[in-house]
Amino acid sequence: MNDASAAVREICSNLYTIGVPLPKTPLKMTNAYLLRGKDRDLLIDTAFNDPMCLEAMLAALADLQVDMARTDIFLTHLHSDHCGLVQRLAAPSSRIFVSEADGMVVRQGQNAGFWDAFKTFYIYTGLQAGGHVTEVSQHPGFAYAPEAADNYTHVGDGDVLEVGDFRLRCVLTKGHTRGHLCLYEPHLKVLFSGDHILGSITPNITQTGFDHDALGEFLHSLDLVDGLDVDVVLPGHRKAIEDSRARTAELRRHHERRLAETLDIVGDGRVSAVDVARKMQWSLTIKDWDAYPPAQKLFSAAEALAHLHHLAMRGELTREEEDGIVLFRRAEGRGNGRNE
């Protein structure tokens, strides 16, 4: 398979996965899904707004003889590896479904205020003070964002999309983004999980701002998915997951370990998100924080901030600000955070 080829596979009757290669990212590929219906088809997610991704997707759709004039598109969330190509693929007759929260970002493309928020994110995490690259243009979500447009239809928790014999129920799974939606097909017992549940990798939890608890929302959303009768999870990246509850249990354990690690790093000091991120144990081939690419530093700082803020919401840490940088320390009477 060359770099511009998509991997197309039939999962069952009228359901296909399209693996679209992603440039310059360890994710390597986004899984899009095509569901065939009698009158209209549905494409779940796209890939980066990038020529290689577009070439691969168009070739796959041609192989499957997909007519975009009779095909709608469902976006699980706002990240550009899932929505970037949407405007290049949609026909005038295509309906594009997305949650309201994430749709407010997607519809504005690179003009979204979401990206303005990253300018302050670089400050309060300590990235800017640390001399790290802080240009929003370095964020792949910005670089590969879809074109600005208003042709979106908002859907929410409990809404049902009918595609032929498929009845797809929207399940709001906050955490990875504020408006992340999964699709659940109860007869097949299939969950299209986007980036809410992934198999061999853990979804990145990004804390931008302090008006919500991203990690707390993610953990709650795992509970919601556990309440569904699921035989197979079809994720946004990597392989299908055959034991949904076992995987959600693994994800909970991962974050509990990460929270304990965060407390150990905080110790009896006062730390920023970057202070914590540079000492965390990441599953990366690059072990030196200073050698991380700019995007990886951003993701790592965002993940560290999510755990710090969640611990603050649990009352284990307190939060303060100095020179625009948000700093965390152990809450009074809660020990030094080290495991004895």
Side-chain angles (χ1 to χ4, degrees):
M1 184 177 76
N2 62 48
D3 288 343
S5 297
V8 179
R9 183 173 65 87
E10 184 177 22
I11 299 173
C12 63
S13 179
N14 295 321
L15 174 56
Y16 302 84
T17 181
I18 304 172
V20 186
L22 298 173
K24 302 176 184 178
T25 170
L27 287 173
K28 297 182 180 179
M29 189 173 291
T30 287
N31 295 329
Y33 297 95
L34 180 76
L35 292 82
R36 291 196 189 278
K38 181 179 178 181
D39 300 314
R40 299 192 67 78
D41 299 336
L42 182 71
L43 179 66
I44 300 175
D45 284 344
T46 64
F48 282 150
N49 187 3
D50 172 83
M52 185 180 81
C53 296
L54 179 61
E55 178 185 351
M57 178 63 89
L58 290 177
L61 294 174
D63 287 346
L64 291 169
Q65 299 182 327
V66 174
D67 178 6
M68 289 306 299
R70 57 179 300 275
T71 300
D72 300 318
I73 302 174
F74 177 89
L75 303 176
T76 57
H77 62 293
L78 63 83
H79 291 154
S80 294
D81 54 326
H82 293 261
C83 71
L85 284 176
V86 62
Q87 293 301 326
R88 296 197 175 200
L89 296 176
S93 57
S94 300
R95 293 171 296 175
I96 306 173
F97 301 107
V98 67
S99 71
E100 183 173 7
D102 283 16
M104 295 302 292
V105 177
V106 174
R107 69 174 61 248
Q108 297 177 67
Q110 293 182 340
N111 299 320
F114 176 85
W115 298 114
D116 290 334
F118 270 96
K119 297 174 183 178
T120 57
F121 171 85
Y122 287 126
I123 297 171
Y124 61 67
T125 55
L127 280 168
Q128 182 169 294
H132 306 298
V133 175
T134 56
E135 291 294 327
V136 172
S137 61
Q138 296 288 327
H139 195 301
F142 179 87
Y144 299 115
E147 293 83 358
D150 287 321
N151 55 337
Y152 292 92
T153 299
H154 291 155
V155 289
D157 190 56
D159 288 342
V160 174
L161 305 179
E162 296 190 15
V163 184
D165 293 331
F166 301 103
R167 285 182 54 83
L168 304 159
R169 176 157 63 88
C170 298
V171 183
L172 181 61
T173 45
K174 294 182 179 181
H176 187 63
T177 67
R178 298 302 305 275
H180 189 289
L181 288 171
C182 295
L183 284 177
Y184 175 57
E185 216 298 331
H187 300 295
L188 290 178
K189 299 181 182 179
V190 167
L191 182 75
F192 298 90
S193 68
D195 280 359
H196 178 54
I197 303 175
L198 301 172
S200 58
I201 54 178
T202 56
N204 180 261
I205 308 301
T206 296
Q207 186 75 48
T208 53
F210 301 98
D211 61 338
H212 68 292
D213 177 6
L215 179 56
E217 291 176 343
F218 175 74
L219 295 172
H220 174 68
S221 295
L222 291 181
D223 294 339
L224 294 177
V225 168
D226 277 351
L228 303 175
D229 187 6
V230 176
D231 281 347
V232 64
V233 176
L234 298 178
H237 305 281
R238 311 288 173 89
K239 296 180 179 180
I241 303 162
E242 295 185 352
D243 191 334
S244 175
R245 291 188 178 91
R247 183 55 183 155
T248 57
E250 288 174 351
L251 290 171
R252 288 188 191 89
R253 289 193 295 270
H254 164 80
H255 286 292
E256 285 303 321
R257 290 192 298 269
R258 185 67 86 195
L259 289 165
E261 179 187 20
T262 301
L263 284 174
D264 280 343
I265 294 171
V266 172
D268 57 4
R270 193 174 65 139
V271 299
S272 69
V274 165
D275 294 332
V276 172
R278 70 184 306 132
K279 294 181 180 180
M280 277 182 162
Q281 298 299 309
W282 303 103
S283 299
L284 299 170
T285 55
I286 302 173
K287 300 304 179 184
D288 180 8
W289 165 268
D290 291 326
Y292 284 8
Q296 187 57 55
K297 287 180 179 176
L298 186 151
F299 295 144
S300 299
E303 182 97 3
L305 185 62
H307 288 79
L308 287 163
H309 182 58
H310 183 66
L311 288 166
M313 295 296 288
R314 291 194 338 192
E316 298 186 54
L317 298 178
T318 60
R319 191 180 78 229
E320 56 195 75
E321 186 176 317
E322 184 176 290
D323 298 327
I325 301 174
V326 175
L327 300 168
F328 296 83
R329 68 165 76 236
R330 189 75 173 176
E332 186 175 349
R334 299 303 290 264
N336 65 9
R338 295 188 179 91
N339 291 328
E340 300 296 338

